[in-house]
Structures are given as C-alpha cells and as structure tokens.
Amino acid sequence: NVLLTGLESSDIDLRYLSTVALGGMPLSRQSTIEEALAQVVQDGNPRVRFAAYESLSQLFVRKSLLGTVPAEALSPVDPDDDE
C-alpha cells in the first residue's frame, strides 16, 4: 500500500499526508492501519504524531458508530468510581 509506505518516508510532509489519509481508509483494513499508526505516534515530528492520534481517533469513532466498540469505551472515566 502506497500510504503505508509513505509512513516510512524521510519526507515529513509525505509522512503527515499518509497518516491523515489512513484515517479515512475502509474499516476492513483497520487492524493493519491501527498497527501502522501505533508506530507513527512515536514519530519525531509533532505534526505527524498529532495526525496519527487524530487518524486513530477517527477510526475508533467510525468503528463505534458501527457498533463494534462497546459503548463503555466511549464514556468518560470517573476517577472517583470504585468499580
């Protein structure tokens, strides 16, 4: 995949654009994309790291809208809750 290859580029703009584009990929490729983006969150460029977090968030929200993520995972955490 060209976008996955772009994540490994020395060109910051190419890494950034590849990262952003991966957030819109079909959910059928989600596990592959999540694995790749999990590596990008450690990128040396803060813009690329932020894009990776944003793309992961987009994938997670899309997945939740399809009902494949438990609703509890989307709820805020209450630090006073003893559960």
Side-chain angles (χ1 to χ4, degrees):
N1 186 315
V2 172
L3 295 175
L4 293 174
T5 303
L7 297 177
E8 300 172 10
S9 174
S10 60
D11 183 333
I12 293 170
D13 289 333
L14 183 56
R15 289 197 316 271
Y16 171 78
L17 292 172
S18 294
T19 301
V20 170
L22 285 170
M25 292 291 287
L27 292 178
S28 61
R29 302 274 325 261
Q30 182 153 0
S31 61
T32 302
I33 295 167
E34 284 179 354
E35 288 175 27
L37 291 175
Q39 300 300 314
V40 179
V41 296
Q42 299 174 22
D43 192 274
N45 183 277
R47 191 172 132 220
V48 175
R49 284 194 309 266
F50 179 80
Y53 283 116
E54 185 67 25
S55 289
L56 284 167
S57 176
Q58 288 175 9
L59 289 169
F60 187 74
V61 167
R62 288 174 44 219
K63 193 173 169 182
S64 70
L65 291 174
L66 292 175
T68 56
V69 172
E72 307 84 54
L74 301 175
S75 302
V77 175
D78 182 357
D80 297 325
D81 192 6
D82 290 334
E83 287 185 41

